[in-house]
Every structure is written in structure tokens, then in C-alpha cells.
Amino acid sequence: MAGMVGGRGREYPDRTQLVEFVKGGLMAAAMHRNQLAERRSRRQVIDITALARILEDFRGEDLHFTRKTLNLGLGDEPESSDYTLVPHALAAHLCTSGWKVVHGKADAPDAGMDVDEAGRDLRAAQQEDEEAESGAVAEAVHTSSWRRTAARDGAELVSWPPHVYESSNGVRYPWSYTLRLSVQTRGLETAAQPRLHVRVGMRRWARYNVFDPKRNIGVHLLSPSPWSDARSPFGLASMAWHPGPAGKKQGFMGWADDLVPTLSRLGSFPFLPDPAEVARDPLAFLEPGPDGEGRQRPPVAGVPYRPGLGKNTGHAVGDGISAKDKWRIFSQLVPALADFAEVDAPCERVPIPSRTRPAAADLLRIDRSALAGAAGSRIEIVLWCDTTTMRDEALNAVAFALDLPVDVAGQPEQVQAWRQRFTTAELEVLLRVEPVGQIADDLELDADIKRRNDRLKAAGISRQQQVSRGLGHPEAGTTARFVLVEMRGADGFASVDHDPKMVVRAGAALCEAVTQNLLPPPRARRRRTAPTTTQSSRRRSRRAAGGSAPAGR
């Protein structure tokens, strides 16, 4: 591995080499970021001269190493770093030991069942002996070898080289198994018991021209290096589309991070790919073909497939693997890690008694005892409405949900303000009905204010003050306030800036009230009683004439 000297089993860090790696890597990353800034017509983000002066005094004696023994078992209290180190140590062991998974037609033996002291599956060994005596060999569909790859959580292995599904038309679709190792504990246990969690999945590789103008595209770099071996993970880089100056066709596909520039500085890497070529033909880098002497060249890079990578980039292989495949891989992983871990007992299945699903009407009712426990025993419900249709619908809903004797049929033909108190064994409810008035009108934007944020802020403050005046102060002892506001949809206002929904919500929050907007049906009756300004009436008339607001009748 990089920066290691000594024979296998007695390796120790080479301080001189590590210092050069650190210096070269930092300088390469800094120069790459300055180049990106220059392409975007921005000033340099890192002073290369100052960085060189800092690195000039960096010596091998400044590096400190700690030899650590990892002990994870029942009753042990691991350090936080152990949760990160153990998965990577086990992943490196699997790669260096040459662990492989045979995918055959015969069912794989059960993991952890009938194993000897060495962890070998006795039934599998017996089956191999019987096949050897009879001269029969189990037919293997394919075999998976494994390599480490960079991962953000835990350690990840990927079956390598990839498997390929070839369609009837000869189109090749590469894919790999993935194995994610992580150390976790269970939250309900009284004592920490670290466990190695194994997650088996699949990664499909892109085979055709990929492009995404908005999101980065991940790339697994597989380029060999002079110091790498089976333990070395693949690098995880990303490329992105750089559009260039507006109005000029100067866009290009480039690297979005510092990994490739760093690798190109640390050694001679003739196989490091160009991002534009990788995006144009990813399959050519997964299957580079033989070299000039007829030897098969190793894969260089792989682009993980995901939907949305451009046209004609579909993948014929599904996005998941079967339970049988998962169990086959896991059952062969158990003996490979027999010296480090044993299979945990399966979780016990806890029967959950079934209950009869309540009727649809019962699902709309609210348990008043539960509501009192959550919101308090004295609540206030305010209904701000603009039409009698929404008023009656909201009152019916409140009356049914809380089982309150609200006289909905006796409501006047126009929306008028009134309040009534209802007292039950669990709750005391103050119900208020009021015309919504100007609260639900378009925000009044001051055209003399040039900056958009300032215009919105000024209009928002004015509307929040209207909400505060409309709600008023709660009565003494009120524990919670709820406000139902009839308000048009987003397309019912002159523009997005005129939509008052968020402003009304914020104003109610200042009064410690929770709001819920109610969208009226298209043909809801509009019988307003609140005074309106000439400007708001003229705007409402224009909307009605244009068909953008609910029509009255």
C-alpha cells in the first residue's frame, strides 16, 4: 500500500513517502481549484506561494502514528473510532484472502448451521466430497471476486470484474454485486453489543453516453498505481457539466473534485481518463480491450447508472437482487469471517394482534381526550371564511370531528362574525367564525421600493399586523389556538409575490396559533360582508373577467 515499507506482516509507515504524498496532494488540489476559478472568471481561491511556504517546513517528524488493537465483542465498550476501523479492516481481509462467491444453480447451504471449529460449513464440505467421489462437479453460473471501493458510510466491496447481461441484440449491460459492512448497536439493549451489519445490494454501470446538466455524475476510478494492491480501494470521483459564459458555446465536462488532479500529480498514471471521454462512452472504460501485446487491460473507470443520465441510457438489469442471491452471498461470507465473528441469533418474530379497521366515518373523528392531552383542555378554533359554502363545510367538519352541537343549518345567508363556547367532559372549545376580509387578498406591493426582498418584507409586515389584529389576544387560560383560513390557490393571485399564504401563516405563528389553509371549490358562493378597498375590488373584478378566480353566482 502507499507509504508502507517492510515485508508483509511487518509493515510500518514510510514517513518520507507520506510527507511527499501530503505535499503533492495539497498542491495539486489547490492548483485545480484555482484553475476552476480562472475558468469562471473569478480570482484565485488559494495562495499557492503561501501554501508552499507552509509545506516547506513539513517534515516526517511531524507525523504521529498509533498502533491500535481492535477488540469488539459482547460486553466490550468500543471507542467511536472502532466503528469506522473494523469494517475497513474486515473488508481488506476479504480482498487479500482472495474470497470469492460461487453462484450456482444448487441452493446455497444455510449460514451458521452445522459448522466446524474452523467455521467451514459441514454440509457444504460433505456435498463437495460426494461430488468428488461421484465425479460430478456442481455447475456454477458465475463467480464473484471482490474489490474495495470508496464509500461514505462503512466499508463497501463490489464484485469485480462486473458481470454482464447480454441482450438478444448483443447489447451488453454491466452490473456488480455490492457488499456494505458497518458496525452498529441496537438502541433497545441495556449494554452495548456491537454487531457487524451486512447489506447486500447491486450497482448497475452505465453503458452509453451520460449527461446531466444539473447534478454531478459519480465515477469510480480504477486506475492502477505502483503501490496499490488488492487492499487498495477504488477512488470515488465526480464529474460535472460546466456551462461556461452565458451566450457562448464553451461548456465542457470536467472533474468536480480534486481526486483526479491529485492522482495525476502523485505518480505516472497513463490510464487516468478524460471526463468528456468517460461521459461519451462509459462502457469503453469498463471493457478497454487488449493492449498492443494482446494482454487484456484492466478496467479504468465505471459510471454508476441512475435514471436521468440522458437519452437512451436505460438499463435492462433491474435495480435489486433476489433474496436467494442475498442469502447465497451471506452464507459464503460467514465462513470467510469465522475467525472474527459468528452469526448472530435471528430476531424473534413478535406476533402483533390484528384489529378491525374502523369505519371511514370513525377515522374522521378526533379523540377529545387525546387532543386535550396534546393541546390542553381549553382550545380556540377560528374560522376565517369568504364563502358560505366553505363556512358550512368547515363547521360540519369541526362538529363531526369533535362531536360538538354546532347549528350549521341555522347559519345566516351571509358570512357574519359570531362566537360560541362548547364545554365537554374533556375540552372547552371556543369557536369563532369571521369573514376573512383583506387577510386573504393579494399582498399590497409598493412599486416605489426597488429591491424585491424589501418589497416583500414591507408587504409581509403589513399583512402580519392585520392577522394579529384579527386574532386578537387569547382569553385567559387558552392552551392552544387553531385557525382555518379560506384562501385561493396559487394560481388565484396576480403573481407568486402577491400570494399571502406564508405571510398569514407567519403572522398567526407570532400569535402562537397554528393555521391551515382551505381551498374553496371552483363554484363556491362569494358573499362578502367585510369592507373592501377600491383597489382590491378592482383587482378581483379583473381576475373574474380573466377566469383566474372562482366565479360567483
Side-chain angles (χ1 to χ4, degrees), residues 534-547 549:
T534 303
Q535 184 178 4
S536 62
S537 299
R538 187 163 52 249
R539 185 184 297 112
R540 190 175 298 107
S541 299
R542 289 198 300 268
R543 283 199 304 270

Side-chain angles (χ1 to χ4, degrees), residues 403-437:
D403 194 16
L404 300 178
V406 181
D407 184 13
V408 180
Q411 294 297 310
E413 294 185 358
Q414 293 182 341
V415 178
Q416 299 178 2
W418 59 268
R419 64 176 58 196
Q420 185 175 355
R421 193 180 307 276
F422 302 90
T423 303
T424 67
E426 305 86 1
L427 282 174
E428 182 177 341
V429 181
L430 175 61
L431 180 60
R432 292 170 45 188
V433 176
E434 298 172 357
V436 67

Side-chain angles (χ1 to χ4, degrees), residues 54 122 227 266 297 300 374:
I54 295 174
L122 295 179
W227 53 76
L266 294 181
R297 291 184 298 174
V300 177

Side-chain angles (χ1 to χ4, degrees), residues 53 120 202 210 213 258 266 305 343 376 378 435 472 499 543 548:
R53 288 197 300 266
R120 297 189 308 117
M202 172 186 287
V210 296
D258 308 325
L266 294 181
Y305 168 80
V343 179
R378 192 171 185 180
D499 193 338
R543 283 199 304 270
S548 60

Side-chain angles (χ1 to χ4, degrees), residues 6-141:
R8 183 61 58 87
R10 295 187 303 170
E11 295 175 340
Y12 54 90
D14 185 336
R15 294 176 179 270
T16 303
Q17 194 176 34
L18 288 178
V19 166
E20 295 304 318
F21 282 166
V22 172
K23 289 183 176 180
L26 290 177
M27 290 297 296
M31 295 174 63
H32 175 66
R33 297 190 179 185
N34 285 344
Q35 291 175 358
L36 291 180
E38 183 179 356
R39 289 176 178 174
R40 298 168 182 170
S41 301
R42 300 176 182 175
R43 64 181 182 86
Q44 294 187 349
V45 295
I46 298 177
D47 189 339
I48 300 296
T49 304
L51 178 60
R53 288 197 300 266
I54 295 174
L55 296 178
E56 185 178 2
D57 298 331
F58 183 43
R59 299 289 185 269
E61 294 74 15
D62 298 328
L63 299 174
H64 301 279
F65 305 98
T66 302
R67 184 175 295 275
K68 185 176 180 60
T69 302
L70 301 176
N71 292 319
L72 286 180
L74 297 179
D76 293 334
E77 296 184 1
E79 299 179 2
S80 59
S81 60
D82 296 346
Y83 290 88
T84 302
L85 295 176
V86 168
H88 289 280
L90 295 178
H93 166 74
L94 292 173
C95 293
T96 54
S97 63
W99 175 62
K100 296 183 179 181
V101 174
V102 177
H103 307 269
K105 290 185 177 180
D107 291 339
D110 292 338
M113 307 294 292
D114 297 337
V115 295
D116 58 12
E117 295 181 355
R120 297 189 308 117
D121 193 293
L122 295 179
R123 288 185 293 175
Q126 182 180 1
Q127 183 179 0
E128 291 175 0
D129 295 339
E130 293 176 354
E131 292 173 351
E133 293 176 359
S134 62
V137 179
E139 182 180 357
V141 178

Side-chain angles (χ1 to χ4, degrees), residues 112-193:
M113 307 294 292
D114 297 337
V115 295
D116 58 12
E117 295 181 355
R120 297 189 308 117
D121 193 293
L122 295 179
R123 288 185 293 175
Q126 182 180 1
Q127 183 179 0
E128 291 175 0
D129 295 339
E130 293 176 354
E131 292 173 351
E133 293 176 359
S134 62
V137 179
E139 182 180 357
V141 178
H142 51 253
T143 302
S144 294
S145 301
W146 301 84
R147 286 292 303 270
R148 294 174 62 201
T149 183
R152 293 177 174 83
D153 298 311
E156 183 171 290
L157 296 99
V158 59
S159 62
W160 203 257
H163 304 294
V164 176
Y165 165 74
E166 187 169 347
S167 68
S168 58
N169 298 329
V171 181
R172 298 172 62 83
Y173 297 92
W175 59 276
S176 298
Y177 294 107
T178 60
L179 197 64
R180 181 70 62 87
L181 305 179
S182 61
V183 175
Q184 304 178 21
T185 57
R186 295 177 180 173
L188 299 179
E189 293 177 336
T190 56
Q193 297 185 14

